[in-house]
């Protein structure tokens, strides 16, 4: 990286004295190119203003990847209703922009390959709904779809690299606004699969969209599912902004794979507990559970909420605080704006899966 104004690196030449190592060097360069392109795509999506980057905008970005070998389908509000996605639809009710449910599949066609599902939260703007955010707290909320951007960018790279693993990317995309149709605190909604949820906070909307997506993922007979989301401010309190994402998992091997991928890429994760006490904070007298444990619920509350919708090896990455760089120098290889966090992590997870 050059620090001289007006100058930028346009090419890099790699030298290797040992000719036997040349194929490995070329493969490393190929992987780097694909991953960088995926990260740049994610950064561009997150940096796009929310009046442009609505759910349909993300869906179109995914559709354009179909030319790279991905099979892409997009469900609208009517499709979501046919799938009984009551949680996703509740979040979207207050917006003039309909939800989009993006599914991207990379299938290398190899026999007996595992199926890894990547799920990214795609809240394209989050006002908090009727549980309204503060004026300043609302400003950065165009980045609340950074999880979906990471999955879209990772899927682009995975397709380009023709990874030997079947990978399916899912992005439930909604906009959380407040109007006469919007869902309210004290509402009871029913998620896909029949779980009833008492709404305590309409600002705990990401986990509702993810709940239906995780239920849908279960129908795909996955070997593992990883969701990634800017889910809670509690994760920033626990880990520090720009330091590490919080990792929750019900499977030790999957947690170890993600920790190794984080170490290899510099996109760190730190495993957190799924204590039973967190589940008690979301017990409800009128529904199967609440969508929030309140201000003192802790970083694990959202994770145990999501755990209710999984029946397979699963990990949840709360990337809140990792999605943007507020000032240059915070991480030396990044400029201000979207970081593209998650793309390299997820690509490395998939690439190393067969090891």
């Amino acid at each position: 990286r050059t620090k001289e104004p007006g100058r930028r690196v346009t090419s890099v030449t790699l030298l290797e004295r040992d000719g036997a190592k040349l194929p490995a060097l070329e493969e490393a360069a190929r992987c780097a190119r694909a991953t960088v392109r995926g990260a740049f795509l994610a950064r561009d999506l997150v940096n796009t203003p929310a009046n442009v980057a609505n759910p349909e905008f993300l869906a179109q970005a995914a559709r354009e990847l179909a030319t790279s070998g991905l099979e892409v389908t997009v469900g609208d509000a009517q499709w979501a209703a046919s799938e009984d996605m009551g949680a996703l639809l509740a979040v979207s009710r207050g917006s003039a922009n309909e939800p989009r449910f993006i599914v991207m599949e990379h299938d290398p066609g190899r026999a007996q390959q595992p199926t890894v599902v990547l799920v990214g939260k795609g809240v394209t703007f989050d006002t908090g709904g009727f549980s309204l955010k503060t004026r300043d707290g609302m400003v950065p909320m165009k980045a609340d779809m950074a999880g979906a951007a990471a999955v879209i960018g990772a899927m682009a790279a995975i397709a380009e690299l023709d990874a030997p693993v079947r990978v399916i990317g899912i992005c439930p995309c909604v906009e959380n606004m407040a109007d006469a149709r919007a869902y309210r605190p004290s509402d009871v909604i029913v998620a896909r699969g029949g779980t009833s949820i008492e709404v305590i906070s309409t600002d705990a909307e990401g986990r509702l969209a993810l709940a239906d997506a995780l239920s849908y993922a279960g129908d795909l007979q996955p070997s593992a599912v990883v969701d990634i989301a800017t889910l809670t401010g509690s994760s920033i309190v626990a880990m520090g902004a720009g330091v590490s994402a919080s990792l929750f998992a019900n499977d030790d091997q999957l947690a170890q794979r993600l920790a190794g991928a984080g170490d290899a890429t510099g996109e760190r994760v730190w495993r957190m507990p799924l204590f039973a006490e967190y589940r008690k904070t979301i017990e409800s007298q009128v529904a199967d559970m609440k969508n929030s444990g309140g201000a003192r619920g802790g970083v694990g509350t959202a994770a145990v909420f999501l755990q209710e919708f999984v029946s397979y090896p699963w990990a949840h990455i709360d990337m809140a605080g990792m999605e943007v760089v507020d000032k240059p120098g915070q991480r030396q290889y990044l400029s201000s704006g979207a970081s593209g966090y998650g793309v390299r992590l997820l690509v490395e997870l998939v690439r190393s899966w067969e090891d």
Side-chain angles (χ1 to χ4, degrees):
R1 177 181 176 182
T2 178
K3 293 185 178 181
E4 296 181 40
R7 299 189 64 186
R8 58 185 300 178
V9 175
T10 57
S11 65
V12 176
T13 301
L14 302 177
L15 302 177
E16 174 56 60
R17 294 179 62 182
D18 186 351
K21 296 180 180 179
L22 187 58
L25 188 64
E26 290 175 337
E27 176 63 13
R30 185 179 77 92
C31 291
R33 280 196 303 269
T35 306
V36 166
R37 277 195 280 262
F40 277 15
L41 172 58
R43 292 173 69 181
D44 287 344
L45 292 174
V46 176
N47 282 331
T48 303
N51 60 312
V52 176
N54 57 32
E56 173 57 24
F57 178 89
L58 291 186
Q60 184 56 34
R63 291 189 192 101
E64 291 172 2
L65 297 179
T67 58
S68 65
L70 292 176
E71 181 179 333
V72 180
T73 59
V74 178
D76 58 12
Q78 185 176 359
W79 176 88
S82 72
E83 288 284 331
D84 296 323
M85 293 185 173
L88 175 79
L89 289 170
V91 177
S92 71
R93 280 207 316 255
S95 174
N97 294 305
E98 276 198 5
R100 294 291 184 266
F101 193 91
I102 303 168
V103 180
M104 301 164 283
E105 180 175 354
H106 164 73
D107 188 349
R110 297 174 175 87
Q112 297 181 335
Q113 74 252 11
T115 297
V116 179
V117 180
L118 309 176
V119 181
K121 171 188 168 184
V123 178
T124 58
F125 194 78
D126 181 18
T127 65
F130 284 125
S131 303
L132 195 66
K133 292 182 180 292
T134 64
R135 177 192 63 188
D136 293 339
M138 206 180 299
V139 172
M141 284 299 106
K142 71 174 187 177
D144 210 19
M145 37 65 74
V151 169
I152 293 171
M155 292 301 297
I158 288 164
E160 182 175 344
L161 294 171
D162 193 22
V165 179
R166 181 178 180 232
V167 186
I168 301 175
I170 298 175
C171 300
C173 300
V174 293
E175 188 177 52
N176 189 25
M177 305 291 281
D179 79 352
R181 300 175 304 163
Y183 75 134
R184 298 151 293 223
S186 80
D187 282 2
V188 174
I189 60 178
V190 180
R192 188 180 188 272
T195 300
S196 60
I197 303 166
E198 180 187 3
V199 177
I200 299 301
S201 170
T202 62
D203 196 23
E205 83 299 329
R207 66 199 69 178
L208 297 176
L210 288 173
D212 282 340
L214 291 172
S215 172
Y216 182 89
D219 293 349
L220 304 174
Q221 299 182 322
S223 302
V225 176
V226 178
D227 78 72
I228 183 167
T230 51
L231 209 58
T232 70
S234 299
S235 183
I236 303 175
V237 174
M239 305 307 300
V243 178
S244 174
S246 298
L247 169 66
F248 299 84
N250 65 1
D251 183 87
D252 291 341
Q253 185 179 23
L254 180 57
Q256 290 168 4
R257 287 181 183 274
L258 281 162
D263 289 342
T265 61
E267 294 194 331
R268 290 183 294 195
V269 296
W270 189 262
R271 192 173 185 183
M272 306 287 274
L274 288 164
F275 290 139
E277 286 84 352
Y278 292 131
R279 181 61 178 83
K280 292 183 181 297
T281 67
I282 55 173
E283 289 181 349
S284 170
Q285 294 183 347
V286 299
D288 291 323
M289 59 180 171
K290 301 174 182 177
N291 78 324
S292 172
R296 300 183 66 181
V299 65
T301 304
V304 297
F305 176 91
L306 295 177
Q307 190 178 26
E308 295 288 315
F309 299 90
V310 305
S311 56
Y312 40 71
W314 159 78
H316 161 59
I317 300 169
D318 191 335
M319 61 175 285
M322 304 300 292
E323 72 275 21
V324 296
V325 176
D326 294 329
K327 51 189 176 183
Q330 187 176 352
R331 278 170 274 175
Q332 292 297 322
Y333 56 91
L334 293 173
S335 56
S336 294
S339 67
Y341 178 92
V343 173
R344 292 184 298 152
L345 175 69
L346 296 176
V347 171
E348 179 63 20
L349 172 71
V350 170
R351 285 186 62 240
S352 62
W353 194 267
E354 62 178 352
D355 294 347

